[in-house]
Structures are given as C-alpha cells and as structure tokens.
Amino acid sequence: MHELGLLHGVVVAVEKTARASGATGVERVGLRVGSMSGAMPEALAGAWPIAVEGTLLQGAALDIDEVAAAVGCPTCGCDQPIDEFFALTCPVCGTPTGNLVSGREFEVTYADLTMPPQE
C-alpha cells in the first residue's frame, strides 16, 4: 500500500509547518487527490490513522477532495472529462490530445492548527 508512504510525506510536511507556527496540534487536513494520481482515496482514508499515530496530527480528521481527470482539446477548445481508459484522444470529437489538465493532483490544501491560548 503506497498510500501509507504518500501520507507519511503529508504528515512530515504538515507537522513541520505546525511546529514552526507554534501549534500544539492539528485538527484537520485537506488533500486534493486526482483520479490519475495513482492514489486511491479509500486507501488514503484507511491508512490515515496509522500515518498520524504518535505525531502532532494524531486524532486529526482527513478531508479528501477528489479531482476528476480532464484533457484540454485543441479542437473543441475546452476541457473534456476522461476516465481511466483514456486513449489519448478527445472523448467528444476524437482529436488526438495528451494534454492532461487535471487529474494528477496530490496536494495538501489546508491544515487546521490548534494554537496555544494567547496571554
């Protein structure tokens, strides 16, 4: 399950930012995950409790925003959604295109930090 490895990177990055900000914990983390990224949202959600165990993120919720894949078609002039069986052609007009404009995303979009009380 490579999702656990991906999440390890997320945890390290968020924890580093949280500590640098003086946070005492992390409440929730948001991820954008593209359908062509190679990461399965269900596996990410299942591995999350293991990835955050013993870290500043322990107990934090994970919100996953799934991004559908789409290609930019030079003939249609707009983005067209595709599925996992994409054949390097526009699904509407058949024009050859490999211009994937969305679907590869794997990024942290936010982290809600717990800050100590101000004195």
Side-chain angles (χ1 to χ4, degrees):
M1 169 190 296
H2 80 286
E3 281 81 1
L4 188 56
L6 292 171
L7 288 174
H8 175 73
V10 169
V11 169
V12 168
V14 171
E15 190 169 39
K16 180 179 178 182
T17 299
R19 289 191 190 285
S21 299
T24 58
V26 178
E27 303 271 330
R28 132 179 268 108
V29 173
L31 289 180
R32 281 177 44 95
V33 179
S35 62
M36 303 285 261
S37 70
M40 297 178 63
E42 301 82 19
L44 291 167
W48 181 250
I50 298 165
V52 300
E53 187 174 335
T55 72
L56 200 59
L57 285 77
Q58 187 163 336
L62 177 65
D63 296 329
I64 299 174
D65 177 23
E66 297 181 46
V67 180
V71 292
C73 177
T75 302
C76 295
C78 60
D79 299 344
Q80 301 293 347
I82 59 169
D83 61 20
E84 67 271 16
F85 304 111
F86 174 55
L88 298 176
T89 60
C90 174
V92 173
C93 70
T95 299
T97 182
N99 182 20
L100 191 63
V101 296
S102 68
R104 290 189 193 124
E105 297 83 355
F106 187 86
E107 57 195 15
V108 176
T109 53
Y110 66 87
D112 291 341
L113 308 179
T114 305
M115 301 303 289
Q118 296 290 329
E119 294 181 21

